[in-house]
Amino acid sequence: METLKKDLLRGGQFLVKETNCEDVFTPEDFSEEQIMMKEAVKEFNEREIIVHKERFEAKDYKLTEEVMKKAGELGFLGVSVPEEYGGLGMGFVSTMLTCEYISSGNGSLSTAFGAHTGIGTMPITLYGTEAQKQKYVSKLATGEWMGAYCLTEPGAGSDANSGKTAAVLSADEKSYTINGQKMWISNAGFCDLMIVFARIENDKNITGFIVEYDRENPNGIVLGEEEHKLGIRASSTRQVFFNDTVVPAENMLSVRGGGFKIAVNALNVGRIKLAAACIDSQRRITETALKYATERKQFKTSIADFGAIKGKLAEMATNVYAGESASYRAAKDIEDRIAMRVEEGNSHPEAELKGVEEYAIECSILKVTVSEDVQACADEGIQIFGGMGFSEETPMEAAWRDARISRIYEGTNEINRMLSVGMLVKKAMKGHVDLLGPATAVANELMGIPSFDTPDYSELFAEEKEMIAKLKKVFLMVAGSAIQKFGPELDKHQQLLMAAANILNEVYMAESTLLRVEKNTKRFGQDAQEGQIAMAQLYLYNAVEIINKNGREGIVSFSEGDEQRMLLMGLKRFTKYVNYPNVIGLRNMIAEKLKAENRYCF
């Protein structure tokens, strides 16, 4: 296969290996089929979702259900589902595209879509028996049935495996009786099927079950009232109570005690798709703010001409571009890894599980970064609108409220930060990512005398690429020293892990952005990529500042004396530009391009 000729990096290896720009996938590489899919979903979003903003904000749960059914009829709920189970059987990148463009019209619909297609359908597609798939997946893929996912409990949130819901096997071993309480269950109000996690006896790990829900014959299932939420108001969110709910034994999902693994792997896919769900939302917010700023006049001048507003618009657009670059880079890596495993003889579900699991670090990085960017984008959107931004008459306040949940679900951003670094350390211990070699090399470099030669940066991106390589050294230096100091106790030092994760996140995002621009400059020419080059340089400058701050915080908190002085000296060396970019100049150039087109044009 053509895609597999390139040397496919393993998850986390971006940190210790150089990636050629030719080897990254970018949105400019979408196939004709993917572009057609994107256009179809965009048209659906305009026609069925965006026009009904008021009804969604007025908690019209019925509307959410109706739009979901229509999405099912058009095949959008089954993009990633194999054709033999009623889906379209498209690749991972197409799944991301569908998720991105269906999610930007309204946060409620986005949540319902994500819960149904991801954690509602996927566990059966990936872990179900053939009989379970035949019985349930086509109903979910076509939207005939709606799915929900019951994991969280009052005492089990981030610690998902600590749930108290119990499943007891009957004397004839033909069924399980489930008792317990679940909360924050998306789609609960209109679902026909629930993936429910419960504990059998005193098992260490929870077990997954497929539970049918028939409103006429509820089988001991009682729904709480709809939750009144800050945002995603027309997303049905309820508590679910199981009172002697009888489930056939053949509805156990995977194996006894296998529920925690299902939950973890479902969340990995959910995380990268959540990043996708935030991208077009940011694009829309940026465009809406741009159009308002162009029309709004103060002091006889369009506010889009003021430097303060230009700065905001440029940063908003740059973060959209970076999020998109990194998300589709990772999505294609996952798609290629799946194809490789299928070629090696894995079944498709097995290949997909392993493919996504391989890039769990990148999924966490994307979830954190893009969810925080969409919130910042909506916040700046309100600011550009001024007083009007605070009013329900304009779309900004709803965008801000809807964005807020994305930092909480699919694992809070704090949990994901700690996970990304923790998973990287585990991969190093298993020998999947060589951290020790490069970290030792960095330590030796710190002891040596730095070169005082003036480097040759005449080639485009030469300094930026060297800067990225140095930022990777900052992570290896800080994380390496911390691991040396705390060893297996490192996971008890959460604030250090958070600082290390912030460095890791920025390295991946800045590198992905730069690689995309480099690839496109080679094929479309430098003039055609002028704004994108400015965005890559601006994003990198911001990343250096964030890495500097977090690196220093870590170093001064776990070291002292000569060690501290040496590490701080290393930090200074690895975050120092030879030629600093003109940051305000970059922002102004990006803003002028936005103004000239009066849309997000990158």
Side-chain angles (χ1 to χ4, degrees):
M1 279 177 74
E2 183 62 38
T3 48
L4 306 182
K5 284 181 185 168
K6 68 180 189 188
D7 178 24
L8 192 56
L9 290 188
R10 298 198 68 152
Q13 276 188 335
F14 71 88
L15 192 66
V16 291
K17 291 200 171 182
E18 197 178 338
T19 302
N20 293 321
C21 68
E22 289 80 13
D23 290 339
V24 295
F25 180 85
T26 79
E28 292 73 26
D29 296 314
F30 289 147
S31 66
E32 274 184 42
E33 181 188 52
Q34 285 164 341
I35 291 166
M36 281 168 64
M37 190 69 185
K38 172 179 134 178
E39 292 306 321
V41 179
K42 275 174 80 171
E43 197 265 331
F44 179 80
N45 191 14
E46 296 283 351
R47 187 184 73 240
E48 300 289 350
I49 303 168
I50 291 166
V51 293
H52 296 308
K53 175 185 182 284
E54 284 76 17
R55 286 179 64 187
F56 282 116
E57 288 308 306
K59 304 182 182 179
D60 190 337
Y61 305 109
K62 196 78 198 144
L63 174 65
T64 303
E65 186 181 0
E66 284 167 16
V67 175
M68 284 289 289
K69 295 276 186 200
K70 287 178 182 174
E73 286 161 17
L74 291 170
F76 299 150
L77 301 182
V79 175
S80 63
V81 171
E83 290 178 59
E84 61 264 38
Y85 307 118
L88 299 179
M90 294 172 89
F92 201 82
V93 172
S94 299
T95 306
M96 288 279 284
L97 258 179
T98 308
C99 185
E100 178 187 348
Y101 285 94
I102 209 165
S103 297
S104 64
N106 185 272
S108 301
L109 197 283
S110 171
T111 301
F113 179 85
H116 174 85
T117 57
I119 49 186
T121 305
M122 196 178 47
I124 308 176
T125 315
L126 297 183
Y127 287 97
T129 60
E130 189 54 39
Q132 288 169 345
K133 289 185 211 179
Q134 294 288 355
K135 186 174 182 182
Y136 297 116
V137 175
S138 63
K139 287 180 174 172
L140 293 165
T142 56
E144 182 190 336
W145 275 23
M146 289 291 144
Y149 178 86
C150 302
L151 176 63
T152 305
E153 298 185 14
S158 295
D159 182 7
N161 203 27
S162 64
K164 300 275 191 292
T165 297
V168 178
L169 186 62
S170 61
D172 61 7
E173 300 191 349
K174 288 187 175 171
S175 65
Y176 284 89
T177 300
I178 296 180
N179 281 284
Q181 172 188 2
K182 300 288 181 179
M183 66 191 300
W184 307 125
I185 307 307
S186 296
N187 297 354
F190 53 76
C191 71
D192 306 278
L193 177 149
M194 300 172 181
I195 308 288
V196 180
F197 295 90
R199 193 176 310 279
I200 301 170
E201 295 172 353
N202 291 319
D203 287 1
K204 181 185 169 200
N205 291 324
I206 50 179
T207 300
F209 294 90
I210 302 168
V211 180
E212 294 182 26
Y213 175 53
D214 178 355
R215 291 164 192 74
E216 304 298 314
N217 177 23
N219 184 17
I221 298 173
V222 177
L223 302 183
E225 291 297 310
E226 288 287 356
E227 299 287 351
H228 299 290
K229 308 181 294 290
L230 171 71
I232 56 168
R233 288 179 169 174
S235 153
S236 174
T237 312
R238 295 184 173 200
Q239 291 196 54
V240 181
F241 301 89
F242 298 96
N243 305 298
D244 293 336
T245 299
V246 179
V247 182
E250 63 266 24
N251 275 30
M252 180 189 285
L253 195 53
S254 184
V255 295
R256 177 172 171 171
F260 187 56
K261 197 167 187 184
I262 296 171
V264 167
N265 284 317
L267 286 171
N268 284 334
V269 181
R271 281 164 187 155
I272 188 169
K273 284 175 73 179
L274 180 61
C278 294
I279 297 167
D280 194 47
S281 302
Q282 284 183 76
R283 207 180 281 118
R284 283 182 175 278
I285 293 166
T286 304
E287 281 199 355
T288 306
L290 170 68
K291 286 176 176 164
Y292 180 82
T294 306
E295 289 161 17
R296 172 77 170 159
K297 298 235 181 335
Q298 287 293 281
F299 311 105
K300 297 181 180 167
T301 308
S302 164
I303 66 168
D305 290 331
F306 292 131
I309 303 297
K310 282 185 184 179
K312 291 181 189 302
L313 291 168
E315 294 284 356
M316 289 157 79
T318 297
N319 287 340
V320 179
Y321 188 82
E324 184 185 40
S325 305
S327 296
Y328 285 102
R329 173 191 184 182
K332 187 65 163 75
D333 283 344
I334 290 170
E335 189 171 288
D336 287 350
R337 177 68 59 175
I338 292 168
M340 195 170 85
R341 282 189 164 271
V342 167
E343 242 182 29
E344 287 169 0
N346 285 154
S347 68
H348 199 278
E350 205 176 5
E352 189 160 330
L353 270 173
K354 291 292 179 193
V356 175
E357 198 176 350
E358 179 64 58
Y359 296 98
I361 293 167
E362 287 80 354
C363 292
S364 280
I365 288 172
L366 288 162
K367 191 273 179 188
V368 169
T369 312
V370 186
S371 69
E372 290 180 2
D373 284 346
V374 74
Q375 182 83 62
C377 188
D379 200 67
E380 290 288 45
I382 289 179
Q383 200 68 12
I384 290 169
F385 268 74
M388 287 304 293
F390 209 67
S391 165
E392 286 188 5
E393 284 178 40
T394 60
M396 286 300 167
E397 63 86 39
W400 186 89
R401 285 187 289 99
D402 283 353
R404 188 60 187 84
I405 188 62
S406 57
R407 284 157 54 197
I408 298 170
Y409 56 21
E410 308 291 357
T412 67
N413 284 10
E414 291 70 26
I415 288 283
N416 272 289
R417 278 185 164 90
M418 290 182 280
L419 268 177
S420 59
V421 179
M423 288 187 287
L424 189 60
V425 172
K426 273 191 191 139
K427 279 198 157 209
M429 286 172 174
K430 284 183 182 170
H432 294 173
V433 178
D434 176 19
L435 282 187
L436 188 63
T440 308
V442 173
N444 292 339
E445 188 179 337
L446 287 178
M447 305 297 279
I449 298 163
S451 163
F452 294 106
D453 297 344
T454 307
D456 175 19
Y457 291 141
S458 52
E459 201 178 313
L460 184 66
F461 302 127
E463 182 161 10
E464 287 81 4
K465 284 163 107 172
E466 190 174 295
M467 204 73 203
I468 299 268
K470 289 195 296 189
L471 296 179
K472 292 178 182 182
K473 289 178 183 178
V474 174
F475 180 86
L476 292 166
M477 177 182 78
V478 174
S481 302
I483 292 166
Q484 219 171 356
K485 191 166 187 87
F486 301 114
E489 300 283 290
L490 182 63
D491 62 353
K492 293 189 169 67
H493 298 268
Q494 292 192 347
Q495 292 183 53
L496 267 184
L497 286 173
M498 305 270 278
N502 288 337
I503 299 170
L504 188 67
N505 293 352
E506 292 304 320
V507 166
Y508 187 70
M509 302 301 290
E511 182 183 63
S512 302
T513 309
L514 187 67
L515 288 169
R516 176 184 180 186
V517 179
E518 186 188 7
K519 184 177 185 180
N520 289 336
T521 301
K522 283 183 178 177
R523 56 181 164 184
F524 306 131
Q526 197 170 327
D527 290 348
Q529 294 291 298
E530 197 182 27
Q532 288 88 334
I533 292 168
M535 290 201 288
Q537 291 169 336
L538 178 61
Y539 194 93
L540 179 59
Y541 174 82
N542 290 336
V544 171
E545 292 301 300
I546 292 166
I547 288 169
N548 214 331
K549 176 184 179 292
N550 284 278
R552 191 181 307 112
E553 183 183 306
I555 290 164
V556 300
S557 300
F558 71 72
S559 65
E560 50 192 26
D562 287 346
E563 184 195 10
Q564 187 181 94
R565 276 189 287 279
M566 187 179 72
L567 290 171
L568 288 171
M569 190 182 70
L571 180 67
K572 190 175 177 182
R573 190 197 301 182
F574 296 145
T575 55
K576 190 174 186 296
Y577 278 91
V578 175
N579 306 290
Y580 277 92
N582 176 347
V583 180
I584 293 174
L586 293 175
R587 288 196 198 117
N588 285 342
M589 182 202 280
I590 298 161
E592 289 301 335
K593 283 213 169 291
L594 289 166
K595 278 168 52 192
E597 300 250 357
N598 201 27
R599 66 186 179 93
Y600 176 87
C601 52
F602 306 105

